[in-house]
Amino acid sequence: MWNYLKRLYHKMGSPKWFYDISNKWLPWLIGVGCLLMGVGLVWGLAYAPADYLQGNSFRIIYIHVPAAIVAQSCYMLMAVAGLVAMVWRMKIAFWVMRAAAPIGVSVTAIALFTGAIWGKPTWGTWWVWDARLTSMLILLFLYFGVIALYNAIEDDELANKAGAILSIVGVINIPIIKYSVEWWNTLHQPATITLTKKPTMAPEMFIPLVLTIVGFYCWFAVWLILRTQNEILWRERRTKWVQQVTNHVL
Amino acid sequence: MHPQRKQRLLIILFVLAGIGIAVGLMLYALKENINLFYTPTQMANGEVPADRLVRAGGLVVVGSLQRDPNSLLATFKVTDGVAEVTIQYSGILPDLFREGQGIVAMGKLNAQGVFIASEVLAKHDEKYMPPEVTHALEQAHKDGKQDLESARD
């Protein structure tokens, strides 16, 4: 098992191998992702019962929570990729980071935006500077920071390293986001879904939420693979295999 | 593992641990400032400066809400289970405001120990359920009480 994982890890380092294998994953991820998102959203938005207190406005949870979870996962993925890239100098890990940063910005922005829309009718305010909301805003700025480093530093290798270091250091923000609602008094409520306890949500509302979360992860994977493939094709554009794949000789 | 890689890994992990500890200490030192609101206990203990704009939070005490019939003035008490503080607010309360609900109010504590709020926000908890379930829960609660009472008779 260990040897298999080790072999897989080494193969992952090969851009061509990654390009080929991820091409095989794509149709599955797209299919499963669309199916889960479709079922989850229709179920959640149309068939799940309204909340006893919030009425229909709670339904934004089916976008807000998946976006917020993926926003944090995406950052952790960038931090792990950054570590792998810095320690093993695996170039494809640098490229995955470049591909992931703009996705992270988008999903974090979606989470903040849907949260504000929900906050207005529920709390009575769009925004409040509590620990959860502020740490999530910091996550958005960390993503912006990584992208800014890529654009500001002309030397690609240096830019990659700078982005990796910021990603690794910024991962400290992730536990802060997660535990902000427990460590401090916040307006944002504590977690509804935890790994250790039963969710504090009725099952007919909870199951569609799980579907949309898994579906959102699939879509995130599709998006990340497509962007990484682009990165690979561009950076390996002078190699024979890319010219064969794209039917384009430079 | 290649010694050079091992060294790089260790350096990164040490730097991360160092920054983690630094951030942890900073957040711990800033604990009071990061808290969004003061609890009624903190107010009762005099931890809240008078005449300064602060936030107070707690659960609205059941049966404490009084509305002025001629204006929008509402007076209610909030509790954290230990202490209570009276809040006065003139304005439209959020939709989710009810007795028993958690709220966060922004305002000033006056000399009489009454919190004069300029903004009231409703705090939502982590529970989500359909209306029928709450209805059933309330019904069960009532039935249970009746059973108790009839048992007492």
Side-chain angles (χ1 to χ4, degrees):
Chain A
M1 180 70 191
W2 176 244
N3 276 331
Y4 172 77
L5 284 177
K6 222 167 150 182
R7 227 175 22 245
L8 192 74
Y9 178 76
H10 283 292
K11 274 194 211 152
M12 278 282 188
S14 147
K16 184 181 182 319
W17 187 84
F18 180 87
Y19 185 90
D20 290 340
I21 192 91
S22 59
N23 254 347
K24 284 185 199 129
W25 296 341
L26 270 181
W28 293 98
L29 285 169
I30 292 171
V32 174
C34 287
L35 184 73
L36 289 177
M37 280 307 266
V39 174
L41 282 180
V42 170
W43 187 350
L45 297 182
Y47 293 101
D51 185 61
Y52 75 110
L53 251 191
Q54 306 171 54
N56 282 322
S57 70
F58 99 95
R59 295 184 199 277
I60 206 162
I61 201 175
Y62 296 111
I63 298 173
H64 176 72
V65 169
I69 291 179
V70 170
Q72 295 170 68
S73 302
C74 178
Y75 200 89
M76 284 196 279
L77 183 135
M78 273 172 62
V80 171
L83 188 77
V84 168
M86 290 302 280
V87 174
W88 284 273
R89 294 286 142 92
M90 192 195 269
K91 53 185 177 175
I92 198 165
F94 282 124
W95 302 347
V96 168
M97 292 183 65
R98 276 184 184 261
I103 307 178
V105 169
S106 322
V107 286
T108 311
I110 291 174
L112 286 169
F113 184 68
T114 51
I117 293 174
W118 177 81
K120 187 64 186 169
T122 314
W123 295 335
T125 182
W126 302 101
W127 183 263
V128 63
W129 290 100
D130 87 342
R132 171 59 71 84
L133 276 64
T134 309
S135 55
M136 206 61 191
L137 190 67
I138 291 172
L139 181 73
L140 184 73
F141 289 149
L142 279 170
Y143 278 125
F144 277 136
V146 173
I147 295 174
L149 282 175
Y150 288 147
N151 288 314
I153 304 174
E154 266 181 44
D155 179 24
D156 256 2
E157 210 173 315
L158 199 64
N160 281 338
K161 279 184 195 163
I165 289 171
L166 182 58
S167 303
I168 295 170
V169 170
V171 83
I172 290 168
N173 191 35
I174 298 294
I176 296 177
I177 294 176
K178 168 121 179 59
Y179 291 106
S180 55
V181 286
E182 289 171 30
W183 291 342
W184 300 291
N185 294 333
T186 55
L187 189 61
H188 195 286
Q189 65 273 19
T192 295
I193 316 163
T194 51
L195 289 178
T196 45
K197 273 178 267 165
K198 231 179 129 221
T200 52
M201 193 178 199
E204 62 267 46
M205 301 157 125
F206 180 65
I207 298 166
L209 181 60
V210 173
L211 296 183
T212 51
I213 290 172
V214 181
F216 216 91
Y217 266 112
C218 292
W219 278 4
F220 166 69
V222 170
W223 199 358
L224 184 69
I225 286 173
L226 287 176
R227 285 186 53 88
T228 308
Q229 285 184 339
N230 263 356
E231 201 79 32
I232 288 173
L233 290 181
W234 176 248
R235 280 168 201 278
E236 301 273 281
R237 64 187 179 278
R238 294 188 202 290
T239 62
K240 212 181 208 166
W241 75 268
V242 170
Q243 294 181 358
Q244 263 170 6
V245 167
T246 55
N247 272 328
H248 183 83
V249 182
L250 277 170
Chain B
M1 210 152 120
H2 198 279
Q4 208 189 343
R5 287 175 185 163
K6 202 168 186 173
Q7 199 190 2
R8 282 202 294 253
L9 183 66
L10 282 177
I11 290 173
I12 292 175
L13 291 180
F14 269 122
V15 169
L16 196 62
I19 295 174
I21 292 167
V23 171
L25 288 173
M26 212 163 72
L27 291 177
Y28 186 73
L30 290 173
K31 192 166 172 39
E32 282 312 306
N33 299 15
I34 296 173
N35 280 332
L36 184 71
F37 53 85
Y38 289 100
T39 61
T41 309
Q42 285 174 307
M43 298 200 140
N45 292 344
E47 285 175 40
V48 179
D51 269 339
R52 250 188 49 201
L53 200 62
V54 292
R55 283 201 178 90
L59 297 172
V60 180
V61 177
V62 176
S64 72
L65 177 66
Q66 286 169 348
R67 284 179 200 269
D68 187 64
N70 302 317
S71 68
L72 285 172
L73 189 74
T75 312
F76 53 90
K77 286 188 177 130
V78 296
T79 178
D80 57 357
V82 182
E84 282 183 4
V85 67
T86 306
I87 295 183
Q88 256 180 25
Y89 175 66
S90 183
I92 297 164
L93 291 163
D95 292 352
L96 252 64
F97 184 95
R98 346 154 273 163
E99 292 179 340
Q101 173 80 30
I103 61 114
V104 175
M106 187 154 73
K108 290 174 181 171
L109 199 62
N110 71 7
Q112 287 79 46
V114 176
F115 193 84
I116 311 296
S118 54
E119 181 189 45
V120 173
L121 303 178
K123 191 167 156 40
H124 186 259
D125 64 14
E126 69 276 26
K127 295 184 185 70
Y128 297 82
M129 49 185 160
E132 307 89 71
V133 177
T134 40
H135 186 73
L137 280 178
E138 273 163 21
Q139 206 58 47
H141 192 69
K142 249 186 243 163
D143 291 351
K145 256 190 198 159
Q146 273 167 4
D147 287 352
L148 267 181
E149 272 159 21
S150 53
R152 218 176 285 143
D153 295 340

